[in-house]
């Protein structure tokens, strides 16, 4: 049933709560082994500029197949990693690996912004900004090609410290996006207060476009607000051309979703982009900067 699309996170979350302690310990142990044994992978989902029809970025998404537990979805293992604190070393690996990948694309002349999901525990740990600064200075990646996807829940914790960290990140040159926008404890005041560059409209507001009038209205309102505040706006979970057309007409800057492609292995992204003629030319990014 269409109405359930994209609202599955809540179901996963509830299911998560029911996973018993022993299972959580098992998963935690398996994750720690996997990190040591190079068992995690990143896949990359293209982000397309609606004005130029070019791939201008990619979101790094974690994948994990355990030898005995099988393939486990991020929505199942990330909450456990957040609960046990393992998200900190795991998130460090994700950032370093995605910086390496973006650097590799950049050295092939591909002007792609790398979007990376950051968890609250990772963002608020001491030394987060310093570590990132170090990884960026050890890389030839232009810091402006790295975008951190933060959730609203990150921003409402410890507001003064959060603001200082966001400012320090902006000083490094990285871009900041709010992920799953509209699903958190939305205090619109932080849009004014925090140095955010981009809003990501949550998939749950996209998947029932054009049938659900409320979702159409919410998506349009977010786009208009982003335009008025001079923020870029991307819609996630775009699955068909009707949604694409609706978002384009509403003035949305970028889309991401199965309509373009699900996330791809790193070596598949460049051939995919070349094949569909969407390869981000350096000028496409330069115009948006
Ligand atoms: P997210 O950051 O909102 O990522 C978007 C999710 O929607 C991804 O699920 C992606 O595969 C999926 N998706 C993309 N396009 C479509 C579409 O058209 N239709 C549908 N139905 N789904 C689409 P995935 O990869 O399972 O990740 C789920 C969540 O896990 C992510 O949501 C993010 O919150 C978290 N996650 C994934 N990788 C990382 C990571 O490296 N670090 C952290 N902290 N969280 C991560
Ligand atoms: Mg994300
Ligand atoms: Mg999201
Ligand atoms: Mg999400």
């Amino acid at each position: 049933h269409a109405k359930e699309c994209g609202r599955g996170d809540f179901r996963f979350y509830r299911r998560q709560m029911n996973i018993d302690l022993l299972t959580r310990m098992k998963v935690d142990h398996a994750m720690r082994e996997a990190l040591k044994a190079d068992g995690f992978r990143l896949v990359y989902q293209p982000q397309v500029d609606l004005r130029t029809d070019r791939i201008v970025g990619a979101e790094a998404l974690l994948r994990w197949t355990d030898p005995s537990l099988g393939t486990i979805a991020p929505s199942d293992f990330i909450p456990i990693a957040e609960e046990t604190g393992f998200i900190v070393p795991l998130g460090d690996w994700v950032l370093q690996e995605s910086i390496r990948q973006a650097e590799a694309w950049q050295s092939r002349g591909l002007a792609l912004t790398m979007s990376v999901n950051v968890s609250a525990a990772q963002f608020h740990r001491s030394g987060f900004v310093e570590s990132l600064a170090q990884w960026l200075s050890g890389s030839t990646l232009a810091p402006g090609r790295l975008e951190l996807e933060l959730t609203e829940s990150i921003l409402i914790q410890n507001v003064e410290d959060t603001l200082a960290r966001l400012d320090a990140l902006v000083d490094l040159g990285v871009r900041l996006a709010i992920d799953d926008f509209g699903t958190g404890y939305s205090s619109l005041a932080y849009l004014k207060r925090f140095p955010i560059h981009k809003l990501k409209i949550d998939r749950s507001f996209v998947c029932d476009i054009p049938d659900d009038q409320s979702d159409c209205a919410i998506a349009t309102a977010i786009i208009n607000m982003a335009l008025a505040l001079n923020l870029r706006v991307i819609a996630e979970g775009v699955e068909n051309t009707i949604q694409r057309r609706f978002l384009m007409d509403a003035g949305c800057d970028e889309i991401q979703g199965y309509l373009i492609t699900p996330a791809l292995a790193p070596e598949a992204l460049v051939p995919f982009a070349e094949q569909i003629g969407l390869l981000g030319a350096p000028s496409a990014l330069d115009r948006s900067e």
Side-chain angles (χ1 to χ4, degrees):
H1 178 254
K3 198 61 218 166
E4 278 159 23
C5 67
R7 301 213 161 111
D9 284 355
F10 182 62
R11 200 184 60 234
F12 278 126
Y13 183 68
R14 271 182 25 220
R15 195 171 83 206
Q16 195 60 57
M17 302 293 278
N18 294 332
I19 294 178
D20 62 65
L21 181 63
L22 186 65
T23 305
R24 290 200 303 260
M25 285 170 64
K26 242 188 246 170
V27 171
D28 181 66
H29 177 75
M31 285 191 290
R32 288 173 198 272
E33 293 304 311
L35 189 59
K36 281 186 245 166
D38 217 14
F40 286 99
R41 292 184 306 123
L42 288 176
V43 290
Y44 301 90
Q45 188 175 36
Q47 302 176 328
V48 168
D49 187 316
L50 283 172
R51 206 164 30 84
T52 61
D53 242 3
R54 285 170 179 274
I55 296 175
V56 290
E59 178 176 8
L61 293 162
L62 262 169
R63 294 293 178 262
W64 176 37
T65 299
D66 180 79
S68 57
L69 301 171
T71 296
I72 306 177
S75 49
D76 286 328
F77 69 79
I78 284 173
I80 297 176
E82 285 172 337
E83 191 181 322
T84 64
F86 179 67
I87 193 68
V88 170
L90 181 59
D92 282 356
W93 178 81
V94 168
L95 270 165
Q96 293 174 85
E97 180 64 19
S98 53
I99 288 170
R100 265 196 296 277
Q101 184 59 58
E103 187 181 22
W105 284 330
Q106 177 183 262
S107 69
R108 296 185 54 179
L110 295 180
L112 298 183
T113 296
M114 178 66 84
S115 294
V116 184
N117 294 285
V118 175
S119 284
Q122 209 187 334
F123 180 88
H124 290 292
R125 80 165 167 92
S126 69
F128 172 68
V129 177
E130 291 77 4
S131 295
L132 189 60
Q134 205 181 318
W135 299 326
L136 281 169
S137 71
S139 161
T140 61
L141 182 70
R145 296 251 159 84
L146 181 67
E147 179 173 81
L148 304 183
E149 294 194 2
L150 312 171
T151 56
E152 290 166 276
S153 61
I154 290 183
L155 303 176
I156 57 163
Q157 296 175 25
N158 213 339
V159 173
E160 288 314 315
D161 179 65
T162 297
L163 189 54
R165 279 168 198 253
L166 295 176
D167 285 339
L169 290 166
V170 170
D171 285 345
L172 288 181
V174 306
R175 320 276 298 170
L176 303 174
I178 302 181
D179 201 358
D180 306 336
F181 186 77
T183 61
Y185 299 90
S186 310
S187 157
L188 297 179
Y190 65 61
L191 287 182
K192 182 176 147 190
R193 195 142 176 239
F194 293 159
I196 298 297
H197 301 101
K198 192 194 249 184
L199 302 181
K200 283 195 92 164
I201 304 173
D202 190 67
R203 180 158 58 86
S204 63
F205 302 122
V206 172
C207 66
D208 290 330
I209 293 174
D211 299 328
D212 187 306
Q213 288 314 302
S214 308
D215 287 342
C216 289
I218 291 169
T220 303
I222 295 173
I223 292 164
N224 287 333
M225 186 169 62
L227 289 172
L229 293 171
N230 207 14
L231 302 171
R232 279 187 75 79
V233 57
I234 180 168
E236 64 181 11
V238 177
E239 295 187 353
N240 60 57
T241 52
I242 299 171
Q243 292 164 347
R244 179 186 185 280
R245 167 54 65 185
F246 179 93
L247 292 158
M248 194 155 101
D249 290 346
C252 194
D253 295 308
E254 296 172 25
I255 58 167
Q256 176 182 343
Y258 296 166
L259 175 65
I260 313 295
T261 175
L264 301 166
E267 63 278 7
L269 190 133
V270 174
F272 173 81
E274 281 167 348
Q275 175 206 324
I276 59 169
L278 285 169
L279 196 53
S283 59
L285 182 78
D286 294 339
R287 273 202 304 280
S288 70
E289 275 175 352

